[in-house]
Amino acid sequence: MAALQNVPAILRQPIKRWRLAFTTIYFSRTLRSLLHDSASNNSIKLPSSTPPFVVLDVNADAGAEFSNIDQTSLATLVKEKNLDQLLEFGGVEGVAIALRSDVRNGIHGAAKDVAQRQVAFGSNTYPRPPTKSFFHFVVEAFKDLTILVLLVCATLSLCFGIKEHGLKEGWYDGGSILVAVFLVISVSAVSNYRQNKQFDKLSKVSNNILVNVVRNERCQQISIFEVVVGDIVCLRIGDQVPADGLFLDGHSLQVDESSITGESENVEVNASRNPFLFSGTKVADGYGRMVVTAVGMNTTWGQMMSTISRDTNEQTPLQARLNKLTSSIGKIGLTVAFLVLVVSLVRYFTGNTKDENGNTEFNGSKTKSDDVVNAVVGIIASAVSILVMSIPEGLPLAVTLTLAYSMKRMMADQAMVRKLSACETMGSATTICTDKTGTLTLNQMKVTKFWLGKDSIEDSSSIAPNVLKLIQHGVALNTTGTIYRDATGKLDFSGSPTEKAILSWCVLELGMDMEILKHNCTILHVEAFNSEKKRSGILMRKKTDNTIHVHWKGAAEMILAMCSSYYDASGRMTDLNAAERMGFEQIIQGMAATSLRCIAFAHKQIPEEEHETGESRKKIEEDRLTLIGLMGIKDPCRPGVRKAVEECQHAGVNVKMITGDNVFTARAIATECGILKADQNMNTEAVIEGEVFRKYTPKERMEKVDKICVMARSSPFDKLLMIQCLKRKGHVVAVTGDGTNDAPALKEADIGLSMGIQGTEVAKESSDIIILDDNFASVVMVLRWGRCVYNNIQKFIQFQLTVNLAALAINFVAVVSAGEVPLTAVQLLWVNLIMDTLGALALATEQPTKELMEKQPVGQEEPLITNIMWRNLIAQALYQISVLLTLQFKGGSIFGVQDKIKSTLIFNTFVLCQVFNEFNARKLEKKNIFKGIHKNKLFLGVIGITVILQVVMVEFLNKFADTERLDRGQWEACIAIAAMSWPIGLVVKCIPVSKKPFLRYLKW
């Protein structure tokens, strides 16, 4: 073990010789390949010009290039954490050399190089379990009990019909039911199959993580699926480890391996004792670089994920409530269907029913057994059809359709839904707790101010040389960002927006050379930045004079509190007394009041003996520092964010800003965004610091949480505490987060919204919805879509319950009073198809309107069927029942037609009533039901298809649908009766309703 701990030191000495050997071998192979190609062409001439294309023979070269190492031993090395085997390979750098990877500059990264590595070691993908086929959903649809009963009835009817009337005439009744049943099954299967495909697409998008790698001397972002063995991967807090690998360098790197081992304790990764990193684990703290040794199915994570399929049967709270509603309505339908069955059977066997010719259908023993069975099957089929009609299985379908549709449209609006329930829960949100940086602001940082001592520096030439060096050291070494300079001299900065802003300012304004500074110093210890500490520090040794220095960078007031002296404009060190400290605090407040993010730099030189005595503590000194300077970084507000905030407030949703910035910056940004009003700006209860909120008693927090608009200098724990308080007060809370430490808050919130650009993988996995563009306006769009989902479901419930109520009442009254079922089994199934599938398709795909944001949030405990819906559906159902029963009992005499045409009139009027009522259902409260109808092409298409199919059913499929052709006058009468739904709907909407839910009156 002792020998192993010295491996990095031993390796550094011969590393140049290793590289020289590698270069020699590489070029000798290239030369040999060139001579071999030339010899095969019987010529030793070099090509005079380069061809305009390159042919890559990947398979031939891949094995030879990596002949000294194989993927099995590499994969086993990491899986078994085998330090002895790693030593045999020559340590981590020995493995990197064997993989033709430069530990500093990465792999070459050309297409041929990547392809060879994928052939030799595999790609970073894993086979998914096969997706469910269309046939699977067809089989699932057949499992519905009512469908099975109908199929049995249809089969019996088919058999007896053919036996009695022959094949040519006898198949109509049973065949019609079969066709109708298969049509319902097909539509249901197609809808579920398409939804499943949609989930698969979303799953692929959500798994496509961007990874930072070093290729061809440059840090760049690639898809996780493009990572290959030999890649040098840069890891930061919150990143997911994209493949198995070995630790190269870094500081304070801790990894959460719970996804692999189940252990909740974070594991420290370092070069000496534990250099092993596993795919699928998360970086909990620190940063580092790794060399990839295994990808895809050669990793434990890949093998595990290949057996897991995403569960697309997640049931949302709304679906659970709808299932209860469906069950209740189904019980009523079952009761009515049973009564219809009993009454019909009694009437038949007592001789009270007559056939088409007026003869009694049952005459005891004189009636043939086939006729009795046929009659009983017909009665059962009608009862089952009433049951099918009454069960609103279209409700779950409507939810599925509207959720799938809204998810697809939300994706286009820069929001990716990870959990279905979030779609509908967002519609009930009463409070949104949002971050500042990148959400309310553009996250385009630029250094606009720098203070040295008490002086604002406009020209870098006025900075004293000794201070200039300290600034450059503090920026170049205490950073997770990188700088790449291409062949033309163009600079490319990478890292967080704050790091990029500081690096670009220091390079372009102060002439910093990061490479030289890093080469001349050795970093001894690092304390990485996180949202709780709000600062980062390094302990470093200068190689030129062997002196040891501490550099800190972070939130200005926190760094200032650690300082006991400062550098003035001339470069002299001056003591920091109380008056001077107050002066610096005023400078910080002044910059913050102009919406600048304030960052301070501090330094301290440590005596050698002091470092040696404290070396074992591994803690960077945090007191008696010297303040180098103060920096102001501008991050402008996003265009349109004020309008988005006002839209939320108008919709009854409170917007609270929770930020790590100081109270003055937070107040300035909140006022600019419209979160703070002019009268609240000086209100101490509206703007609070996280520490103050934390120190409140639980009772005080509950009293004041509603009044707080801005929480500054907050930690992730403060955010979590606020969310818990808001939820206890009955709020439905949506919260945005991007950091690893935001994960508890994102999980605790009713809707967790992570940031797609700045968000860490840990934050994304803890969230319900990912905001792909990090924009607050997209959060508002999610809110609008959430309300739209709920509103669309309510529209469909109103429409379907109207049909259910009317159909059940008509059939029950007709059977009990006259022993006749006005609508046949096929006709009922056709109405069911219109109502369930086509109706759901038309009403569940309405797009969000501005009206949705004019209402207060709907509570999650509010009844699904509101008083307004009861008013609308009862009025329409009563009209349909009265009209259709009139046609049932007096239709023959009114129109002077026979019973067959009268039944067709009833069927046609009933269907057309639903078509016209579908327009009424578009607007639950508004009187103008046609507003915005031209935007919903799908609605118009469904209406058009329904009308065309109805004409075909009545005019051309007479034997199939058991109808008679109608003349022009009869069609006009049906349309006129159905069209009355519109004026009735208009008049009914003028009737005021009580706010108290209708069903609560029944409890009294």
Side-chain angles (χ1 to χ4, degrees):
M1 183 60 79
L4 185 61
Q5 289 176 353
N6 293 324
V7 165
I10 295 165
L11 281 169
R12 284 191 193 99
Q13 296 168 7
I15 191 66
K16 291 183 180 178
R17 279 175 284 171
W18 268 105
R19 285 177 183 160
L20 182 62
F22 168 73
T23 308
T24 306
I25 292 166
Y26 183 81
F27 278 103
S28 65
R29 281 180 178 171
T30 307
L31 185 60
R32 185 178 63 190
S33 174
L34 183 62
L35 291 172
H36 178 269
D37 291 344
S38 302
S40 64
N41 293 324
N42 298 319
S43 172
I44 311 179
K45 291 182 181 178
L46 292 173
S48 58
S49 63
T50 306
F53 58 87
V54 177
V55 178
L56 303 180
D57 187 5
V58 172
N59 291 316
D61 297 340
E65 293 289 351
F66 303 101
S67 58
N68 56 339
I69 196 163
D70 67 281
Q71 64 177 24
T72 307
S73 57
L74 274 176
T76 308
L77 169 69
V78 176
K79 282 180 187 175
E80 297 180 358
K81 295 190 174 183
N82 195 329
L83 288 168
D84 294 331
Q85 189 183 354
L86 179 60
L87 191 57
E88 289 173 14
F89 276 115
V92 178
E93 293 187 350
V95 171
I97 290 167
L99 293 172
R100 293 173 45 237
S101 179
D102 188 300
V103 292
R104 188 164 172 235
N105 300 324
I107 63 173
H108 187 269
K112 181 176 180 179
D113 183 28
V114 171
Q116 283 178 341
R117 292 172 186 276
Q118 287 177 337
V119 170
F121 302 105
S123 62
N124 200 26
T125 56
Y126 42 84
R128 289 275 183 182
T131 55
K132 294 173 183 175
S133 64
F134 176 73
F135 181 72
H136 168 84
F137 294 103
V138 172
V139 172
E140 286 295 311
F142 269 109
K143 291 179 181 178
D144 190 329
L145 182 60
T146 52
I147 293 292
L148 291 174
V149 173
L150 272 175
L151 284 172
V152 171
C153 291
T155 306
L156 290 172
S157 180
L158 198 63
C159 295
F160 289 115
I162 292 171
K163 185 179 177 183
E164 185 178 355
H165 303 291
L167 183 61
K168 191 175 181 181
E169 299 282 336
W171 71 272
Y172 288 130
D173 285 344
S176 301
I177 297 173
L178 280 175
V179 170
V181 167
F182 277 105
L183 195 58
V184 171
I185 286 171
S186 299
V187 172
S188 175
V190 167
S191 299
N192 289 329
Y193 177 67
R194 289 188 65 188
Q195 183 211 356
N196 193 60
K197 295 254 303 183
Q198 177 77 8
F199 274 114
D200 284 342
K201 284 181 183 176
L202 284 172
S203 181
K204 285 176 185 174
V205 172
S206 63
N207 290 334
N208 188 15
I209 300 164
L210 291 177
V211 179
N212 289 302
V213 299
V214 179
R215 286 185 178 178
N216 197 21
E217 305 179 27
R218 183 177 183 179
C219 185
Q220 52 192 280
Q221 280 195 330
I222 63 170
S223 165
I224 190 171
F225 304 126
E226 295 171 9
V227 171
V228 293
V229 170
D231 259 326
I232 305 300
V233 178
C234 304
L235 298 172
R236 298 192 184 103
I237 292 177
D239 284 352
Q240 177 177 313
V241 179
D244 285 1
L246 296 167
F247 176 82
L248 275 174
D249 53 50
H251 295 278
S252 310
L253 188 64
Q254 292 197 351
V255 176
D256 175 9
E257 293 185 353
S258 58
S259 58
I260 298 289
T261 63
E263 296 291 333
S264 57
E265 288 279 328
N266 292 335
V267 177
E268 185 176 350
V269 179
N270 51 45
S272 56
R273 293 183 299 277
N274 179 30
F276 307 104
L277 287 152
F278 296 96
S279 176
T281 57
K282 307 289 190 303
V283 178
D285 199 3
Y287 61 88
R289 297 190 312 146
M290 64 175 276
V291 58
V292 175
T293 58
V295 293
M297 287 300 291
N298 294 317
T299 67
T300 306
W301 179 255
Q303 291 168 4
M304 185 170 69
M305 290 303 290
S306 66
T307 62
I308 299 172
S309 59
R310 179 167 177 174
D311 179 21
T312 57
N313 295 320
E314 173 197 354
Q315 191 177 68
T316 70
L318 183 56
Q319 283 174 324
R321 292 173 73 185
L322 285 174
N323 285 343
K324 286 184 181 178
L325 180 63
T326 302
S327 177
S328 302
I329 297 169
K331 287 173 185 175
I332 297 169
L334 184 61
T335 306
V336 173
F338 180 73
L339 288 173
V340 167
L341 177 66
V342 171
V343 171
S344 298
L345 287 173
V346 169
R347 290 180 69 88
Y348 174 77
F349 285 111
T350 54
N352 288 320
T353 56
K354 300 183 183 298
D355 60 18
E356 293 175 356
N357 301 318
N359 300 320
T360 303
E361 286 186 307
F362 183 76
N363 289 315
S365 57
K366 295 178 183 178
T367 308
K368 295 178 183 179
S369 58
D370 286 357
D371 292 339
V372 173
V373 172
N374 266 336
V376 171
V377 166
I379 290 167
I380 292 171
S382 295
V384 172
S385 298
I386 291 170
L387 179 60
V388 172
M389 179 76 187
S390 65
I391 296 173
E393 66 267 21
L395 285 177
L397 177 63
V399 177
T400 301
L401 282 170
T402 192
L403 286 174
Y405 177 75
S406 61
M407 281 172 70
K408 188 176 179 182
R409 294 306 300 264
M410 283 164 76
M411 194 73 175
D413 288 333
Q414 301 299 314
M416 188 178 79
V417 179
R418 295 185 73 251
K419 291 182 183 175
L420 268 178
S421 55
C423 281
E424 60 199 43
T425 310
M426 193 67 189
S428 303
T430 57
T431 304
I432 298 175
C433 297
T434 178
D435 287 334
K436 175 188 79 70
T437 306
T439 309
L440 298 173
T441 61
L442 284 169
N443 210 11
Q444 294 174 358
M445 310 282 191
K446 186 181 179 182
V447 177
T448 57
K449 284 274 186 185
F450 188 79
W451 290 75
L452 187 57
K454 299 294 182 67
D455 299 318
S456 176
I457 303 299
E458 302 297 333
D459 184 7
S460 59
S461 61
S462 61
I463 301 175
N466 63 322
V467 177
L468 184 63
K469 285 182 181 178
L470 288 173
I471 295 170
Q472 291 178 343
H473 276 100
V475 171
L477 302 174
N478 187 12
T479 183
T480 55
T482 57
I483 303 171
Y484 172 75
R485 189 187 298 269
D486 63 17
T488 62
K490 184 181 176 183
L491 293 169
D492 181 27
F493 301 94
S494 65
S496 70
T498 306
E499 294 285 9
K500 287 195 285 187
I502 296 170
L503 285 173
S504 62
W505 174 77
C506 210
V507 170
L508 302 175
E509 297 291 329
L510 305 186
M512 179 184 78
D513 191 320
M514 193 170 177
E515 288 301 311
I516 292 175
L517 289 168
K518 282 192 169 185
H519 184 264
N520 291 335
C521 300
T522 303
I523 295 176
L524 303 174
H525 188 61
V526 173
E527 282 202 23
F529 179 90
N530 66 38
S531 53
E532 200 164 343
K533 294 183 288 188
K534 295 185 175 32
R535 62 181 185 271
S536 64
I538 60 158
L539 184 68
M540 51 80 93
R541 185 193 299 272
K542 282 187 181 179
K543 293 178 181 177
T544 51
D545 56 10
N546 220 30
T547 55
I548 295 171
H549 301 259
V550 166
H551 280 276
W552 282 98
K553 173 183 73 179
E557 63 268 35
M558 291 188 173
I559 299 295
L560 181 64
M562 296 158 64
C563 295
S564 59
S565 57
Y566 70 95
Y567 288 103
D568 62 17
S570 61
R572 289 193 304 270
M573 193 185 293
T574 308
D575 286 339
L576 191 61
N577 57 34
E580 302 281 5
R581 191 178 296 275
M582 187 175 291
F584 279 113
E585 286 172 354
Q586 288 173 349
I587 291 171
I588 293 168
Q589 290 173 16
M591 284 198 285
T594 57
S595 305
L596 295 182
R597 168 178 278 188
C598 305
I599 292 175
F601 295 85
H603 162 263
K604 181 180 184 180
Q605 183 171 341
I606 303 208
E608 179 70 29
E609 63 275 7
E610 192 176 323
H611 172 63
E612 286 174 359
T613 56
E615 199 163 18
S616 59
R617 288 179 298 174
K618 283 195 174 181
K619 186 168 173 63
I620 303 173
E621 290 203 23
E622 301 179 1
D623 58 352
R624 292 178 290 122
L625 305 176
T626 302
L627 183 70
I628 300 172
L630 298 170
M631 179 182 287
I633 300 177
K634 182 70 175 175
D635 184 14
C637 280
R638 284 183 179 273
V641 73
R642 188 182 184 92
K643 185 182 176 185
V645 168
E646 287 172 353
E647 194 175 350
C648 280
Q649 292 167 340
H650 185 64
V653 179
N654 295 317
V655 180
K656 299 181 187 293
M657 186 175 87
I658 303 177
T659 178
D661 281 337
N662 71 37
V663 70
F664 301 100
T665 307
R667 179 178 271 121
I669 293 288
T671 305
E672 195 176 339
C673 294
I675 294 172
L676 270 182
K677 303 298 180 190
D679 58 333
Q680 293 178 307
N681 202 15
M682 299 312 292
N683 185 353
T684 54
E685 288 189 327
V687 183
I688 193 171
E689 286 193 339
E691 188 181 1
V692 177
F693 184 73
R694 204 181 314 143
K695 289 179 179 176
Y696 282 152
T697 64
K699 186 179 178 182
E700 286 176 322
R701 280 198 290 265
M702 293 295 284
E703 286 173 358
K704 299 185 178 185
V705 70
D706 281 331
K707 298 173 186 174
I708 296 170
C709 297
V710 178
M711 187 191 285
R713 280 289 175 249
S714 66
S715 69
F717 176 75
D718 299 327
K719 184 186 281 191
L720 179 63
L721 205 58
M722 174 172 269
I723 292 161
Q724 289 170 340
C725 289
L726 288 167
K727 285 181 73 176
R728 279 199 291 271
K729 292 206 79 171
H731 289 279
V732 178
V733 186
V735 62
T736 69
D738 56 10
T740 303
N741 292 334
D742 287 329
L746 289 167
K747 286 181 178 177
E748 178 70 25
D750 295 288
I751 313 103
L753 304 159
S754 65
M755 301 295 109
I757 299 171
Q758 286 301 306
T760 63
E761 290 309 314
V762 175
K764 290 174 187 176
E765 283 201 4
S766 303
S767 65
D768 305 307
I769 297 172
I770 300 174
I771 305 300
L772 298 175
D773 62 353
D774 292 14
N775 193 343
F776 186 78
S778 298
V779 176
V780 179
M781 184 57 69
V782 172
L783 176 66
R784 192 181 285 121
W785 271 109
R787 292 190 173 192
C788 182
V789 166
Y790 195 85
N791 191 245
N792 285 350
I793 298 301
Q794 286 188 314
K795 292 173 186 177
F796 182 69
I797 290 172
Q798 178 183 297
F799 171 69
Q800 188 166 46
L801 290 188
T802 304
V803 188
N804 279 23
L805 198 60
L808 285 173
I810 293 160
N811 279 291
F812 181 70
V813 173
V815 169
V816 171
S817 59
E820 299 175 3
V821 179
L823 301 174
T824 66
V826 172
Q827 290 171 355
L828 281 169
L829 285 171
W830 168 236
V831 173
N832 193 54
L833 182 69
I834 295 173
M835 178 181 71
D836 279 352
T837 309
L838 297 178
L841 204 59
L843 294 171
T845 54
E846 286 276 351
Q847 294 189 30
T849 59
K850 289 182 180 178
E851 298 159 8
L852 292 172
M853 299 299 280
E854 293 172 1
K855 302 175 184 177
Q856 294 298 302
V858 178
Q860 289 183 302
E861 299 302 317
E862 291 292 311
L864 271 174
I865 309 172
T866 63
N867 286 359
I868 289 167
M869 292 165 66
W870 279 118
R871 176 195 67 190
N872 297 344
L873 74 88
I874 288 172
Q876 292 292 340
L878 286 175
Y879 170 68
Q880 290 181 22
I881 291 166
S882 58
V883 166
L884 294 172
L885 286 178
T886 302
L887 288 175
Q888 172 67 20
F889 296 111
K890 298 292 181 181
S893 57
I894 292 171
F895 288 96
V897 294
Q898 296 177 348
D899 284 350
K900 200 70 179 284
I901 294 178
K902 181 191 76 173
S903 297
T904 304
L905 284 168
I906 293 170
F907 169 57
N908 200 34
T909 304
F910 186 54
V911 170
L912 291 176
C913 277
Q914 310 325 317
V915 171
F916 280 91
N917 193 38
E918 215 158 340
F919 285 87
N920 285 327
R922 286 190 71 245
K923 304 288 180 184
L924 299 177
E925 297 179 64
K926 300 289 179 181
K927 294 173 186 175
N928 183 3
I929 58 176
F930 302 107
K931 186 178 180 182
I933 199 168
H934 62 284
K935 295 178 182 176
N936 194 342
K937 304 280 193 301
L938 190 57
F939 180 88
L940 296 174
V942 167
I943 294 293
I945 290 168
T946 305
V947 171
I948 290 167
L949 290 176
Q950 180 62 16
V951 171
V952 171
M953 288 281 283
V954 171
E955 297 296 317
F956 302 104
L957 299 177
N958 304 124
K959 290 188 175 179
F960 172 80
D962 198 19
T963 56
E964 289 288 326
R965 298 186 74 168
L966 302 178
D967 60 30
R968 182 177 174 180
Q970 290 163 347
W971 268 102
E972 287 173 352
C974 292
I975 292 169
I977 293 168
M980 285 299 293
S981 296
W982 286 352
I984 288 170
L986 184 66
V987 171
V988 164
K989 283 174 183 173
C990 297
I991 301 171
V993 293
S994 168
K995 290 184 179 179
K996 184 178 179 180
F998 170 71
L999 291 177
R1000 288 186 190 168
Y1001 287 105
L1002 302 179
K1003 292 180 182 178
W1004 287 5

